[in-house]
Amino acid sequence: AWSRAFSSMSQRGVNLAFGFFLALGITIFAALSLTLYHYPLFPLQTDRLDWSVAWLGMTVIDYYGAAVCLCAIIMATERMVPAVTWCVLCLLFGSPFCCAYMLHRLAWSRDLALRSPSQDPMKATLTK
């Protein structure tokens, strides 16, 4: 299945994913830092167009950074067609579909854990 193939990544795949998410995090942190430096959040300056545009842009960047992280989890968890469908919905239509995915996950797997309880050494230890 797609999820088993994607979740058992080679060391090269792990390194690439690590590098990608490290770069993504640093980029978003830098964008936030620059926005805060040039357009401090407080006091609110909603009457200034440049301030409003800067914070609208930062909000969009922040959302897509988080959505890409969620999509990586979805791609590692679901089969290919449902995974791509959920990712497109999350990326194009936003938080309502991210919440819908979480409801789907709860309804189908009865859990939000990234691994099943049988694979979790802590849960296996606690149930012995």
Side-chain angles (χ1 to χ4, degrees), residues 61-74 87 90-91 94 98:
I61 290 168
D62 185 57
Y63 171 76
Y64 280 105
V68 166
C69 293
L70 177 60
C71 284
I73 293 169
I74 292 170
C87 288
C90 289
L91 292 170
C98 295

Side-chain angles (χ1 to χ4, degrees), residues 47-62:
D47 56 335
R48 289 188 45 204
L49 181 61
D50 59 333
W51 185 91
S52 297
V53 168
W55 279 104
L56 177 61
M58 186 61 237
T59 301
V60 170
I61 290 168
D62 185 57

Side-chain angles (χ1 to χ4, degrees), residues 23-45:
L24 180 65
I26 289 170
T27 301
I28 294 170
F29 180 77
L32 177 61
S33 297
L34 287 171
T35 303
L36 283 166
Y37 179 77
H38 292 290
Y39 303 96
L41 189 54
F42 298 106
L44 296 177
Q45 301 172 41

Side-chain angles (χ1 to χ4, degrees), residues 88-125:
V88 167
L89 290 170
C90 289
L91 292 170
L92 293 182
F93 299 110
S95 298
F97 285 92
C98 295
C99 292
Y101 173 74
M102 301 309 282
L103 293 172
H104 161 79
R105 180 100 175 118
L106 282 168
W108 284 95
S109 69
R110 315 291 292 165
D111 196 353
L112 291 177
L114 294 179
R115 63 176 121 176
S116 69
S118 64
Q119 295 173 320
D120 189 337
M122 284 302 293
K123 286 186 180 177
T125 303

Side-chain angles (χ1 to χ4, degrees), residues 9 12-22:
M9 297 170 63
R12 182 173 185 270
V14 170
N15 291 344
L16 287 172
F18 188 90
F20 172 78
F21 288 110
L22 179 63

